[in-house]
Amino acid sequence: MKKTFNLPRGTADILPEEAHRWQNLENTARKILARYGYQEIRTPIFEETELFTHSMGQTSDVVQKQMLTIKPQKAQDSNESTSFALRPEGTAAVVRSYIQNSLDKKENLSKLFYIGPMFRGERPQKGRLRQFNQIGVEAIGPESASPYLDAETIALSIDLLTAAGLKNSQLKINTIGTAEDKANFQTLLKRKLKPCLADLCEDCRDRFDRNVLRVLDCKNTSCKAVVKGLDITREWLSPESLRYFSTVKEALNALGIKYREAPDLVRGLDYYTQTVFEISDSSLGSQDALGAGGRYNNLVSELGGSAVDAVGFALGMERILLALEDETPAVSSVDLFIAALDETAIKLAFPILNELRRNGVAGEMGYRAASLKSQMRLANKLNARYVFILGEDEIKKGVVTIKNMATGDQKQESLTDPKKLAELLK
Ligand code: AMP
């Protein structure tokens, strides 16, 4: 028996019947992103592994457990020892490109967006894939250093989700302060967590040493209970960071954006500073995060660029589509179906259809001779607005019978002028 092939675990085929939902989401996103002044950037889907380990932090879960590295079967070039990885997220690559293309020399604020696949070697489950898609934005440059841009970025993410049709998403915000504040917080958190180490899961006991902030993100019930009991406040934040956060909140209030302050919200990646936020939708169950983001003021310089600030987010497209209740099937239609009833008719119809397409008509034909009845069935399936019938009689007279499928009206027109035929269909 021949081997059959299945798609890799944790990936999905998007068939034509679902593709329109993706197209709608992308089109809506592009429209909203343009309103906020964002321009598209397309970077490769793989980069040097070190770009991700360096930016996301050696101790992040993604880098530790989920990186999909690429191993060429045989090194093409024996000098090439660089390791590559499929991108697990978009920010690092965008920042790499920002630096490499000297965008900082060209503009004070680069508002960049991307739409595309990301890859993480996770245990697949509902809403958690190994290849998934994100819509992400990054606002990088000296002009990014404003709490109003944090608020605008959050507003944009909410606008995108609302425009996509989501009504019940919840926004949580927090601040983790400057890099120094973050270090103070880590020390404080370690002090508070130390007596509870035995109640933490194995992963978190490891995180305690590697990346203590990650303990706050753990979904394990016993870890969640420990975190709840810690009574995390903001005493470790500098006045400057508190002021910054107040302005972000005031700006959100001015826009009428509802949010919940979550002092235990931290993002697992090393590069975040100041504002962090997460948007969730409870209808999604355990994997309820629709997207997340925040400010990352040190990443550009960490990756060798100038000292410029940045803020961004990424939304998970699969999760958005899962949360959307609307599953209306696509109603596609064609302008024209040509029912060519025998071989001579097919030979004649074939170039006519091509000419009509060149004149703007969306058309199809039956490519094999078949009865009028079976061809009409095909035309109906395609939702054709008009059908050209081309049989022995029509060919003799040099005409085509045009049937209007909505009214059932029929008339005959000369076959010799495809431009005129195209006009008739418009
Ligand atoms: P993150 O970069 O982990 O903050 O992810 C941002 C968003 O991408 C999440 O809120 C999810 O909506 C989505 N996402 C992240 N990982 C996955 C995954 N493995 N499968 C599907 N969606 C994901």
Side-chain angles (χ1 to χ4, degrees):
M1 213 166 67
K2 284 211 174 118
K3 176 174 164 46
T4 54
F5 295 93
N6 291 320
L7 46 65
R9 243 161 62 83
T11 66
D13 292 323
I14 298 165
L15 297 178
E17 65 205 44
E18 304 165 74
H20 75 285
R21 299 184 73 219
W22 286 83
Q23 287 159 8
N24 287 346
L25 178 57
E26 281 185 27
N27 293 340
T28 306
R30 284 173 193 281
K31 206 167 66 196
I32 307 282
L33 289 161
R35 284 187 202 160
Y36 280 78
Y38 279 85
Q39 290 186 308
E40 183 169 12
I41 180 163
R42 299 186 188 204
T43 62
I45 59 165
F46 67 93
E47 298 270 352
E48 272 187 50
T49 308
E50 212 184 324
L51 172 68
F52 302 118
T53 50
H54 202 78
S55 61
M56 301 174 87
Q58 282 285 2
T59 58
S60 67
D61 281 7
V62 174
V63 166
Q64 290 249 325
K65 300 186 202 158
Q66 299 166 350
M67 287 269 266
L68 290 173
T69 44
I70 302 172
K71 207 165 117 205
Q73 242 159 8
K74 190 164 154 245
Q76 298 295 316
D77 171 355
S78 51
N79 291 327
E80 172 130 55
S81 57
T82 315
S83 156
F84 294 101
L86 293 173
R87 60 181 187 192
E89 53 108 54
T91 304
V94 171
V95 171
R96 196 265 311 131
S97 177
Y98 175 88
I99 298 168
Q100 188 169 1
N101 294 292
S102 306
L103 295 188
D104 59 331
K105 312 253 166 19
K106 296 177 187 148
E107 51 201 13
N108 280 333
L109 181 62
S110 302
K111 284 180 149 184
L112 306 166
F113 81 85
Y114 54 85
I115 299 179
M118 305 295 156
F119 306 84
R120 293 183 197 170
E122 318 208 51
R123 194 170 54 80
Q125 52 181 294
K126 190 178 171 220
R128 191 160 282 283
L129 295 155
R130 287 183 171 167
Q131 175 174 341
F132 58 99
N133 291 272
Q134 286 185 337
I135 300 170
V137 310
E138 319 291 350
I140 316 173
E143 280 292 311
S144 165
S146 159
Y148 289 95
L149 205 63
D150 301 50
E152 185 190 272
T153 310
I154 295 174
L156 167 58
S157 65
I158 300 286
D159 259 12
L160 279 172
L161 294 172
T162 312
L166 289 177
K167 298 182 189 80
N168 301 316
S169 46
Q170 285 112 34
L171 167 67
K172 281 194 293 192
I173 61 168
N174 190 27
T175 179
I176 45 178
T178 59
E180 294 90 73
D181 292 341
K182 203 167 152 180
N184 288 339
F185 185 34
Q186 277 164 326
T187 314
L188 178 88
L189 202 57
K190 278 196 166 178
R191 207 170 59 227
K192 286 193 172 203
L193 274 174
K194 201 152 195 175
C196 325
L197 265 181
D199 298 326
L200 296 179
C201 71
E202 205 184 314
D203 268 352
C204 279
R205 283 202 295 274
D206 189 33
R207 284 173 188 141
F208 181 83
D209 293 317
R210 288 196 283 120
N211 186 357
V212 70
L213 291 187
R214 277 297 288 186
V215 175
L216 303 184
D217 278 344
C218 187
K219 299 275 184 274
N220 182 297
T221 31
S222 123
C223 299
K224 271 183 166 174
V226 170
V227 169
K228 211 164 174 194
L230 291 181
D231 189 27
I232 295 166
T233 52
R234 299 220 169 92
E235 77 250 23
W236 46 277
L237 278 171
S238 60
E240 168 208 346
S241 294
L242 282 169
R243 246 193 328 272
Y244 190 94
F245 192 48
S246 288
T247 315
V248 174
K249 287 187 286 182
E250 272 168 31
L252 287 175
N253 294 340
L255 301 182
I257 291 175
K258 293 201 177 60
Y259 56 85
R260 184 166 74 75
E261 280 187 58
D264 59 352
L265 172 71
V266 292
R267 306 279 306 131
L269 304 181
D270 275 3
Y271 56 62
Y272 285 108
T273 50
Q274 303 288 12
T275 317
V276 288
F277 65 98
E278 194 173 284
I279 307 167
S280 58
D281 188 306
S282 51
S283 74
L284 286 174
S286 65
Q287 305 300 324
D288 65 349
L290 288 170
R295 182 161 277 288
Y296 49 97
N297 285 346
N298 302 321
L299 183 60
V300 183
S301 56
E302 276 286 314
L303 292 178
S306 46
V308 293
D309 291 4
V311 58
F313 65 74
L315 301 174
M317 297 178 77
E318 281 79 4
R319 303 253 179 107
I320 296 175
L321 292 172
L322 265 176
L324 279 173
E325 283 154 17
D326 171 33
E327 302 249 356
T328 36
V331 190
S332 62
S333 63
V334 294
D335 301 319
L336 168 72
F337 182 83
I338 304 186
L341 304 186
D342 57 28
E343 282 302 328
T344 320
I346 291 177
K347 204 168 170 174
L348 202 62
F350 191 66
I352 292 176
L353 175 60
N354 203 251
E355 194 55 32
L356 286 168
R357 285 177 178 153
R358 284 183 186 147
N359 282 285
V361 172
E364 270 297 340
M365 67 181 282
Y367 299 98
R368 293 184 305 169
S371 70
L372 183 59
K373 198 170 152 198
S374 74
Q375 300 238 25
M376 289 311 273
R377 217 177 298 134
L378 261 177
N380 276 319
K381 215 168 155 191
L382 290 168
N383 223 346
R385 287 171 44 236
Y386 290 91
V387 175
F388 281 7
I389 301 163
L390 203 55
E392 223 175 303
D393 275 2
E394 281 87 358
I395 293 172
K396 255 189 232 149
K397 289 202 247 164
V399 295
V400 62
T401 302
I402 303 179
K403 180 168 179 160
N404 178 328
M405 297 295 276
T407 61
D409 292 347
Q410 286 192 188
K411 62 178 174 181
Q412 292 195 323
E413 286 291 336
S414 163
L415 256 180
T416 50
D417 190 352
K419 277 210 172 68
K420 189 171 166 223
L421 288 173
E423 274 311 306
L424 282 172
L425 297 174
K426 278 180 189 158

